[in-house]
Amino acid sequence: MATPGFIRDLRSRIGHTLLFLPGVSAVVRDAEGRVLLGRRADTGAWSIIGGIPEPGEQPAEAAVREVYEETAVHCEAERVLLVETLEPVRYANGDQCQYVDVSLLCRATGGEARVNDDESTDVGWFAPGQLPPLSDYALRRIRLAAEPGPTWFAPARHTLR
């Protein structure tokens, strides 16, 4: 994912220090039930679409924006699938981040899937039984999108009294 300007500005002040940031991911399905995936330019791995909300941007708006920016597909957010704090990551340049991911189920409403920016090298629709190799992160979200049900939240690690 490209680094938003506000984060580049923060990094110029704080260096590689761990940043706790919001993130969004989208499981986008079309009318045939296929899932939209992008092959990441940074790792070469297939994944669901995601990114970082801009300051003041709502998670659903950010997911819809990211999907269009990366794939040229228009979509609407339908429901929250999952809210989860991910493990910290360290990027090749030394930056450290930890994301609170809000994953959304989105319905495609138009556009032709194509590479639409420099974050992906390929984009495509995949039937659920014909997915390319994916991380557990992406597979879990795709699985949740196929199930009717409430939003999944990570269990609390601590109990307040």
Side-chain angles (χ1 to χ4, degrees), residues 80-131:
V80 175
L81 296 171
L82 172 147
V83 177
E84 178 180 39
T85 299
L86 305 177
E87 292 297 317
V89 294
R90 180 184 298 268
Y91 293 101
N93 67 357
D95 289 351
Q96 299 174 70
C97 294
Q98 186 171 25
Y99 298 96
V100 175
D101 180 52
V102 177
S103 294
L104 297 129
L105 170 61
C106 297
R107 179 177 46 85
T109 59
E112 293 293 321
R114 63 178 170 82
V115 173
N116 205 34
D117 66 10
D118 60 357
E119 295 183 45
S120 301
T121 60
D122 198 2
V123 169
W125 292 102
F126 295 86
Q130 298 176 330
L131 298 171

Side-chain angles (χ1 to χ4, degrees), residues 47-68:
S47 187
I48 58 176
I49 308 305
I52 299 171
E54 294 291 331
E57 187 177 35
Q58 295 297 325
E61 290 175 307
V64 167
R65 175 184 53 75
E66 288 286 346
V67 168
Y68 181 76

